[in-house]
Amino acid sequence: MSFSTTTSIQIAHYYDYFRDKEIVFTKANLLTLKLDPRQIYIKCNGGQWPCILNSSSLQMAKIIIGTQSGAFAEMQKNAKMTVSLKYCFIDQNNQPIHFFVNCSVMDIKPYNGTNELAIVTLEFNQRPPDDLISRIGEFIEASENFINRKEERINIDQNSLRKLGMDKEESIVWVDNVPRRCILKDLSFSGAKIMLVGVPKFLVGKPIKLKFDFNDTNESFLVSGIIPRAEFLEGRKDIASVHVAYKAESVPMSYKMHINNFITNFQKKYLQQESEGNHGPVINTADDSAVPPVMQEIEAQSQTKQPVQPVKPVPVVKQPEETLDLEPIEDFDF
């Protein structure tokens, strides 16, 4: 998953379609967008003060400032004054990308009824920099495609693994809280298909947690779901092909963005091939007719009753809540 490869066409698309969509900056969203909250500042009348970025679209932003700060005093003097809001993102090399966006102050209100904090609505005076458009645009696109394109499936092979930012098709699944090795066969926004040693009738209806490792973002997390359907692999009575339906609230934003990045890039490539008279492959359900070598190894271990290798616990990434966590405010010098 990369924010650095967004083309000018994509950026124009994001701005045209998502300019009025607003993102609330929860802790989880800050991590996904790689936004550094310690480097967010408001600048006006030659001074610069730290602030909390509560939310942002591509046309406006809402910030939280202390009522004892110099910024608040300046805004109170001139409610329609022009200010500059500093954003700071972190790139793939852990280097900061920072820029200012010129804004007009549109509204100032007490935050949550307190006298110590105020929430200020800022309207951008012009189209913001491409770095902001690409970050917010891709985030919103992934959120919308999670709903609108949830059934499109990605076959798992070496090529798709590389583009998804994953090392291998082998993973760990917890069925009824018991860890078992499995093979990923296909992925989508809404679920997955996996292979594992077992009897289908004893798997259907079981709660499940599927582990994902993305090496491009150095993330590991579990996605919870249930097994609505399972069947024996064709010609086999020991390996089950298992369908996993995710619980929507358990799917982290990072997973959505990895899937979205693959599907949208695939679509662009396919449309280009169509225009050139070439026909590329189609994203669909994986073929279950072949047993991967790794699956054969898992099967052999199961037959010899070798124990499952111990698995390090992985914390589940919780779905962001649409509220601002005010813990960092204590660390700011307003």
Side-chain angles (χ1 to χ4, degrees), residues 40-204:
I40 306 300
Y41 291 90
I42 189 72
K43 185 177 180 181
C44 54
N45 279 0
Q48 184 169 286
W49 295 268
C51 62
I52 298 293
L53 187 58
N54 178 63
S55 62
S56 180
S57 70
L58 299 178
Q59 292 182 315
M60 54 80 68
K62 292 179 182 178
I63 62 171
I64 297 172
I65 59 175
T67 54
Q68 300 303 313
S69 71
F72 182 80
E74 293 293 336
M75 292 177 189
Q76 288 292 92
K77 294 177 185 177
N78 182 4
K80 297 295 182 180
M81 72 182 304
T82 298
V83 300
S84 295
L85 177 60
K86 180 185 176 184
Y87 288 80
C88 182
F89 294 100
I90 306 300
D91 67 15
Q92 289 182 311
N93 299 316
N94 290 322
Q95 297 300 311
I97 302 173
H98 43 78
F99 49 83
F100 283 92
V101 180
N102 291 328
C103 314
S104 295
V105 178
M106 302 304 295
D107 190 34
I108 304 175
K109 292 180 180 179
Y111 181 76
N112 278 356
T114 66
N115 294 323
E116 293 78 20
L117 299 171
I119 184 162
V120 181
T121 301
L122 304 173
E123 184 179 66
F124 299 165
N125 292 337
Q126 58 191 28
R127 171 173 154 162
D130 289 350
D131 284 315
L132 183 63
I133 296 174
S134 63
R135 300 264 173 163
I136 290 183
E138 186 175 338
F139 186 98
I140 295 172
E141 181 184 60
S143 298
E144 294 197 351
N145 283 342
F146 177 70
I147 298 171
N148 300 327
R149 305 181 68 174
K150 61 183 180 180
E151 298 303 330
E152 294 187 31
R153 312 193 75 83
I154 302 170
N155 289 349
I156 297 301
D157 53 30
Q158 290 304 310
N159 182 52
S160 61
L161 284 171
R162 177 177 55 81
K163 292 181 178 179
L164 285 166
M166 302 171 70
D167 282 330
K168 55 187 178 181
E169 60 186 4
E170 184 181 3
S171 188
I172 302 294
V173 63
W174 279 258
V175 181
D176 253 353
N177 294 320
V178 178
R180 305 172 69 172
R181 296 175 66 191
C182 69
I183 298 297
L184 302 173
K185 291 299 293 179
D186 70 36
L187 299 177
S188 70
F189 282 113
S190 61
K193 183 184 284 186
I194 62 175
M195 284 184 183
L196 55 83
V197 175
V199 179
K201 67 179 181 180
F202 297 129
L203 297 171
V204 173

